[in-house]
Amino acid sequence: MSTTTTHNDLPLHTHKRSRRTTLNRVFAVVHSCAILALLYRHALSLLHSTSLTSFLITLTFLISDSILAFMYSTTQSPRMTPIYRKEFPENLKRVVKESDFPPLDLLICTADPFKEPPMNVVNTALSVMAYDYPTDKVSVYVSDDGGSALTFFAFMEAAKFASHWLPFCRENKIVERCPEAYFETDHSRLPEADKIKRQVGDEYITGERERLAFRKWTDGFTRQDHPTIIQVLLDNSKDRDIVDNSMPNLIYVSREKSRTSHHNFKAGALNALL
C-alpha cells in the first residue's frame, strides 16, 4: 500500500492494489488468445471461400469480430491494475492554514443572454463563490461582452442571494454548490432548503448603487455600441453574509464597444477584463 502524507505524517491519500489483479490478467490473456484464434479462423475461411456469398458472409464476420475485439481491448486497461483509493481531506484542513491559501481569481465570460441564459451564468458564479475556500481570498469577475441589462440584474439578485447561500452551504456541508443542481436533488428537502429558496429578493432595484449603475443603459445603448460598465456587486472588505462572514468579491465588467471601433473582436473582452 502506498501513502501520501503531510509534513506532520498525516495521511492525505492511500492506494493499494486489488487482489484480483493476477486473476484479471490471466483472464485477459486467455480471452485474447480465444479472440485471436477466432479471427485466424475467419481469415482462413475468407481465403478458402468458394463463392461470392460465402466470401461476403465471412468478411462480415471478420470485420464485426475485429471491431468487437478492438472494443474489448480498449476496456482492459483499468482491469490490468485495479486500485482501491482512499482520501483524507480532513487532514489537509488540519495542516494548511487559511493564511497559506493564495488569492483565487476566477473569470466567467458571457456574451448573449439568449444563447447563454443569465440564470445558468449566475449558477456558475454562485457555485464558484461557495467553494470551500477562504471567502476573503475569492474574486469572481464576470465579463459580459453583450452588455445585457438582464444579465446585470441577474447578478445583482445573485449577490443578494449569495449572502444566504454561502453560509447555508457551509453549515450543511453541501456538496452540490450550484443552487440549480442542489435544488434538483432529494437532499434539498431540508427545512432550511425551503427557506433558502425564498431568499431571492423580489424587491428589485431598491439601492442607490443599483439605480446609478442602470443609468448607463440609455436609449442609445446597444450590444455593439455602449460605454464601459464596471460594477462591484460584492466587496469582501465591506459586504457580509447573514452570519457576519466576509463575502467574496463579485465584479461585473462590460467593455466599451463602438460601431466605429476596430477592437470589437472576441479576445477583446478578456483583454479588457485582465
Side-chain angles (χ1 to χ4, degrees):
M1 182 175 68
S2 177
T3 305
T4 302
T5 63
T6 68
H7 61 276
N8 291 334
D9 292 331
L10 295 172
L12 293 178
H13 171 266
T14 63
H15 66 272
K16 63 178 181 180
R17 185 176 297 182
S18 170
R19 296 177 181 176
R20 302 197 310 268
T21 300
T22 303
L23 184 62
N24 285 358
R25 292 179 178 180
V26 171
F27 176 81
V29 170
V30 173
H31 203 107
S32 298
C33 290
I35 291 174
L36 291 174
L38 178 63
L39 296 178
Y40 178 72
R41 183 176 181 278
H42 286 328
L44 287 180
S45 299
L46 190 67
L47 292 175
H48 296 88
S49 298
T50 57
S51 66
L52 179 61
T53 302
S54 63
F55 178 85
L56 292 176
I57 292 175
T58 306
L59 180 62
T60 302
F61 284 150
L62 178 60
I63 293 174
S64 60
D65 285 341
S66 297
I67 293 173
L68 291 174
F70 173 75
M71 295 172 61
Y72 169 79
S73 65
T74 59
T75 63
Q76 295 311 299
S77 178
R79 297 191 176 115
M80 292 299 96
T81 312
I83 291 175
Y84 294 107
R85 301 181 183 276
K86 190 173 182 180
E87 298 80 24
F88 303 91
E90 65 277 4
N91 289 341
L92 183 63
K93 294 179 180 180
R94 290 171 59 185
V95 297
V96 179
K97 300 177 181 178
E98 287 198 358
S99 58
D100 297 331
F101 285 90
L104 185 62
D105 296 332
L106 300 113
L107 313 180
I108 298 176
C109 299
T110 183
D112 191 328
F114 300 101
K115 295 180 180 178
E116 301 165 320
M119 187 57 68
N120 292 349
V121 185
V122 161
N123 271 282
T124 300
L126 286 170
S127 62
V128 168
M129 293 165 65
Y131 277 174
D132 190 8
Y133 205 86
T135 54
D136 60 338
K137 295 193 175 186
V138 176
S139 297
V140 178
Y141 297 88
V142 181
S143 173
D144 180 14
D145 205 36
S148 168
L150 180 61
T151 300
F152 180 70
F153 175 74
F155 272 94
M156 286 198 319
E157 290 297 296
K160 301 172 188 175
F161 179 66
S163 65
H164 300 266
W165 176 246
L166 271 59
F168 173 77
C169 290
R170 285 193 298 267
E171 292 169 8
N172 294 281
K173 297 182 179 180
I174 303 300
V175 176
E176 301 92 349
R177 300 294 174 96
C178 171
E180 183 179 17
Y182 173 73
F183 290 125
E184 288 178 352
T185 66
D186 292 336
H187 304 297
S188 63
R189 295 178 181 175
L190 293 171
E192 295 86 351
D194 292 330
K195 182 180 178 181
I196 202 73
K197 287 180 183 179
R198 297 192 290 268
Q199 298 305 323
V200 180
D202 56 359
E203 62 272 24
Y204 305 117
I205 305 171
T206 57
E208 185 63 25
R209 187 168 60 178
E210 289 87 349
R211 289 196 187 95
L212 290 174
F214 268 103
R215 288 179 184 173
K216 294 190 176 183
W217 274 271
T218 59
D219 292 338
F221 191 109
T222 66
R223 180 177 173 181
Q224 291 80 23
D225 195 346
H226 61 78
T228 301
I229 302 171
I230 302 176
Q231 187 69 30
V232 178
L233 298 173
L234 289 174
D235 184 343
N236 64 23
S237 65
K238 297 186 296 185
D239 293 304
R240 320 288 291 184
D241 61 25
I242 59 172
V243 294
D244 203 35
N245 289 324
S246 64
M247 299 283 287
N249 291 318
L250 177 62
I251 299 95
Y252 173 94
V253 177
S254 184
R255 61 173 172 146
E256 179 184 4
K257 296 177 77 175
S258 172
R259 293 182 184 276
T260 59
S261 174
H262 299 288
H263 302 288
N264 287 342
F265 49 88
K266 261 189 176 180
L270 281 178
N271 290 338
L273 183 58
L274 291 173

